[in-house]
């Protein structure tokens, strides 16, 4: 018998030799090749975020502030943070009808950002509002008493974030404002009165046509001011308890339209204003007339001046010492590691 043969029942059979043509390939599941190309959404509509609530964003079209749209974040954005004031692009159902839902497919680069942390040891930054041009720091002159530390910290966050801070004083019928306001006079800080008995015209002159964030402790009259500015806003108004803490009357940020154009962003009452994300160089860098000088400071300079920094370059600037001293108050508030620092001692709120 041959090498590849065997005898069965008197017959000689040859063993078959196999090659690759005999191998049967099982077809796989049909699949479309993956691609990194994403849709360009050339038909997307520009809008501004005016409210945020549990994974849904309230938006208004740029050319129609009365047209309110509810949107979700598109999958391609991942966990991209989207906050009140953000400029976004929308696709999908932008009719604004009940139960309709659009998609946010792009978030524009922010011009300004107001950030804070829970405290000075918290590394997690919270974006309060995006693209605001101004920050109204609402402070009551009495009941509850004003805290310079809070104002200084809010000013630091505004300057570093690119916003123009404005001090809005309320309840000045209960206390004189001269001593408190004088603390900030060398910073060229605009001061306006926004109490219930004060005329609104000076406030509206600063707000109309702009996006402005309002911030302040609970109980200082911020929601009362918002209700005067936007009568149909119906923001809740709280009372101040006997220990100086206000009841939180606004639980989330929301942008409200002004009659003459512009928006005010009412933010929840705060009990702390951490600045863990800000350094002394960030603060000085926000002042164009001082920013270049610190390049001559020694490494590690905190810019607080003697005795901590005997070689700080800010001390050699001619004609700027009053302004430098005022800015060092901001740096001192930043470096105390206490959101409620006031006059060399801490206070509780």
């Amino acid at each position: 018998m041959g090498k590849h043969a065997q005898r069965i029942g008197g017959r000689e059979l040859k063993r078959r030799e196999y090659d690759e043509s005999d191998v049967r390939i099982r077809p796989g599941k049909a699949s479309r090749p993956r691609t990194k190309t994403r849709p360009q959404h050339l038909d997307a509509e520009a809008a501004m975020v005016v409210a945020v609530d549990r994974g849904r964003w309230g938006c208004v079209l740029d050319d129609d502030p009365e047209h309110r749209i509810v949107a979700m974040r598109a999958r391609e954005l991942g966990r991209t943070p989207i906050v009140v004031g953000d400029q976004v692009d929308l696709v999908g159902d932008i009719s604004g009808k009940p139960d309709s839902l659009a998609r946010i497919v792009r978030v524009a680069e922010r011009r300004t950002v107001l950030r804070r942390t829970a405290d000075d040891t918290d590394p997690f930054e919270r974006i309060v509002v995006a693209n605001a041009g101004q920050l109204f720091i609402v402070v009551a002159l009495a009941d509850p008493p004003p805290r310079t530390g809070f104002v200084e910290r809010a000013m630091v966050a505004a300057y570093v974030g690119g916003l123009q801070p404005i001090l809005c004083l309320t309840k000045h019928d209960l206390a004189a404002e001269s001593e408190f306001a004088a603390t900030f006079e060398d910073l060229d800080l605009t001061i306006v009165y926004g109490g219930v008995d004060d005329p609104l015209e000076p406030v509206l002159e600063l707000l109309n046509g702009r996006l402005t964030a309002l911030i302040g402790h609970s109980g200082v009259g911020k929601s009362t001011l918002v209700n005067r500015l936007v009568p149909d806003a119906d923001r809740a108004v709280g009372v101040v308890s006997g220990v100086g803490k206000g009841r939180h009357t606004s639980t989330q940020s929301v942008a409200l339209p002004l009659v003459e154009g512009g928006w005010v962003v009412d933010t929840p009452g705060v009990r702390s204003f951490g600045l863990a994300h800000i350094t002394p160089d960030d603060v000085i860098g926000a002042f164009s007339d001082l920013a270049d000088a610190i390049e001559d400071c020694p490494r590690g300079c905190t810019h607080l001046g003697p005795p901590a920094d005997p070689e700080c370059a800010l001390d050699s600037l001619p004609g700027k010492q009053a302004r430098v001293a005022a800015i060092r108050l901001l740096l001192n508030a930043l470096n105390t590691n206490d959101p409620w620092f006031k006059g060399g001692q801490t206070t509780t709120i």
Side-chain angles (χ1 to χ4, degrees):
M1 285 189 300
K3 182 178 180 181
H4 299 292
Q6 60 179 335
R7 184 174 294 276
I8 299 178
R11 291 181 302 164
E12 184 178 295
L13 300 176
K14 290 186 178 181
R15 184 177 297 174
R16 182 180 176 185
E17 293 184 0
Y18 295 93
D19 59 21
E20 64 272 9
S21 63
D22 294 294
V23 179
R24 184 178 180 184
I25 305 296
R26 178 176 295 177
K29 295 181 180 179
S31 62
R32 185 172 57 186
R34 284 185 172 272
T35 174
K36 293 184 178 180
T37 303
R38 295 289 183 266
Q40 296 183 5
H41 300 299
L42 298 178
D43 59 343
E45 294 280 351
M48 183 180 79
V49 176
V50 296
V52 181
D53 185 20
R54 293 171 293 184
R56 295 291 183 265
W57 287 263
C59 305
V60 296
L61 297 178
D62 284 354
D63 58 353
D64 188 1
E66 298 300 322
H67 187 175
R68 302 302 177 98
I69 301 165
V70 177
M72 62 179 288
R73 180 170 47 198
R75 179 175 296 181
E76 58 260 37
L77 291 182
R79 299 179 66 87
T80 301
I82 305 173
V83 301
V84 171
D86 267 328
Q87 293 291 324
V88 298
D89 286 343
L90 302 178
V91 299
D93 190 344
I94 61 171
S95 66
K97 296 178 180 178
D99 300 324
S100 63
L101 190 63
R103 286 186 298 129
I104 300 174
V105 294
R106 278 188 293 269
V107 181
E109 183 178 354
R110 293 165 179 147
R111 299 183 299 274
T112 68
V113 179
L114 180 66
R115 295 184 176 93
R116 74 177 182 91
T117 58
D119 55 48
D120 284 352
T121 61
D122 183 4
F124 182 73
E125 297 179 17
R126 293 160 176 81
I127 301 177
V128 181
V129 63
N131 297 318
Q134 302 177 136
L135 176 64
F136 252 50
I137 308 168
V138 184
V139 177
L141 289 168
D143 191 31
R147 311 293 188 186
T148 57
F150 170 74
V151 176
E152 290 162 355
R153 282 174 163 258
M155 289 175 65
V156 166
Y159 285 129
V160 173
L163 291 78
Q164 180 64 42
I166 297 172
L167 181 59
C168 181
L169 299 177
T170 64
K171 304 183 183 181
H172 70 281
D173 56 319
L174 303 179
E177 80 284 355
S178 57
E179 180 181 351
F180 182 78
T183 307
F184 313 103
E185 62 183 9
D186 289 316
L187 291 172
D188 301 326
L189 180 65
T190 300
I191 299 176
V192 68
Y193 299 100
V196 291
D197 296 324
D198 296 314
L200 276 181
E201 287 74 15
V203 177
L204 288 171
E205 286 181 6
L206 296 170
L207 298 180
N208 285 335
R210 300 177 177 89
L211 177 62
T212 305
L214 274 66
I215 196 167
H217 298 321
S218 294
V220 298
K222 179 168 59 66
S223 293
T224 300
L225 175 61
V226 170
N227 286 335
R228 293 182 67 199
L229 295 169
V230 189
D232 59 350
D234 195 26
R235 299 296 275 172
V237 178
V239 296
V240 179
S241 68
V243 296
K245 293 183 179 181
R247 176 165 58 87
H248 283 251
T249 56
S250 302
T251 58
Q252 60 182 350
S253 297
V254 59
L256 304 166
L258 296 169
V259 174
E260 298 296 328
W263 297 81
V264 289
V265 180
D266 188 17
T267 63
V270 296
R271 287 198 173 101
S272 65
F273 205 107
L275 299 174
H277 58 294
I278 293 177
T279 67
D281 280 5
D282 293 332
V283 177
I284 301 298
F287 296 91
S288 58
D289 56 334
L290 304 180
D292 293 339
I294 64 173
E295 295 181 1
D296 297 326
C297 287
R299 183 184 298 272
C301 182
T302 62
H303 314 303
L304 291 174
D309 303 297
E311 299 181 7
C312 180
L314 296 179
D315 291 315
S316 61
L317 292 177
K320 295 282 186 179
Q321 291 315 300
R323 184 165 172 82
V324 169
I327 292 173
R328 279 175 172 164
L329 289 177
L330 304 183
L331 294 174
N332 202 20
L334 175 66
N335 290 316
T336 57
N337 199 33
D338 187 330
W340 312 121
F341 182 83
K342 178 182 179 182
Q345 58 185 349
T346 58
T347 59
T348 56
I349 189 120

